[in-house]
């Protein structure tokens, strides 16, 4: 079987999913939430996503460790402060929120299901292999961090 573990950078994966969401053939699965505050919700979710991602990148840069998700073995420090006090994967959470905001904008059930597909993909082909490597690199410190902080929220 073709192994995709740690192969596709999550940022690129977000772009791929946006393209799929935009051009997927299930246009009949549209829903119309005629809620006057829907644009506010979409911008709020998107803004929160950007804020979370920027905070995570700043935390990595401050710790002077890699932000390359395809090579977790190059991590030089365990980052467990700032936004990482609330989520072990804030960048992936932010990416998921970006896709959620876009799915809400499209108002398409298939697009919402693709957000779930994105999260499942990340869980098994990105996060699990990263966790294995981080456990090997940081041992007990990483295990204690995992006990203290949830994977997503």
């Amino acid at each position: 079987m073709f192994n995709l573990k740690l192969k596709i950078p999550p940022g690129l994966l977000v772009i791929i999913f946006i393209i799929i969401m935009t051009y997927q053939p299930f246009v009949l699965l549209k829903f119309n939430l005629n809620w006057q505050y829907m644009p506010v919700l979409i911008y709020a979710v998107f803004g929160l996503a950007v804020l979370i991602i920027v905070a995570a990148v700043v935390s990595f840069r401050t710790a002077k460790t890699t932000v390359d998700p395809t090579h977790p073995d190059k991590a030089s420090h365990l980052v467990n402060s700032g936004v990482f006090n609330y989520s072990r994967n804030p960048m992936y959470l932010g990416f998921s929120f970006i896709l959620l905001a876009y799915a809400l904008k499209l108002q398409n059930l298939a697009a919402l299901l693709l957000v779930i597909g994105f999260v499942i993909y990340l869980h098994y082909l990105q996060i699990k292999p990263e966790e294995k490597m981080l456990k090997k690199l940081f041992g007990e410190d990483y295990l204690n961090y995992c006990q203290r902080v949830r994977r997503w929220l």
Side-chain angles (χ1 to χ4, degrees), residues 106-118:
L106 293 175
Q107 293 202 17
N108 183 293
L109 183 59
L112 286 172
L113 293 175
L114 283 166
V115 176
I116 295 168
F118 175 80

Side-chain angles (χ1 to χ4, degrees), residues 8-84:
I8 303 174
L12 176 60
L13 195 62
V14 169
I15 294 168
I16 292 168
F17 268 75
I18 286 173
I19 292 167
I20 293 170
M21 290 165 82
T22 301
Y23 296 106
Q24 51 80 20
F26 302 105
V27 293
L28 296 178
L29 294 174
K30 286 249 184 218
F31 57 88
N32 186 10
L33 292 177
N34 198 7
W35 185 45
Q36 69 182 21
Y37 298 109
M38 183 58 81
V40 174
L41 176 63
I42 292 167
Y43 284 117
V45 170
F46 182 79
L48 179 61
V50 170
L51 184 67
I52 291 169
I53 292 167
V54 168
V57 170
V58 167
S59 291
F60 273 123
R61 296 288 185 211
T62 302
K64 294 181 173 70
T65 192
T66 183
V67 294
D68 183 356
T70 60
H71 295 285
D73 55 322
K74 293 182 180 179
S76 59
H77 293 88
L78 177 62
V79 180
N80 57 10
S81 60
V83 71
F84 288 90

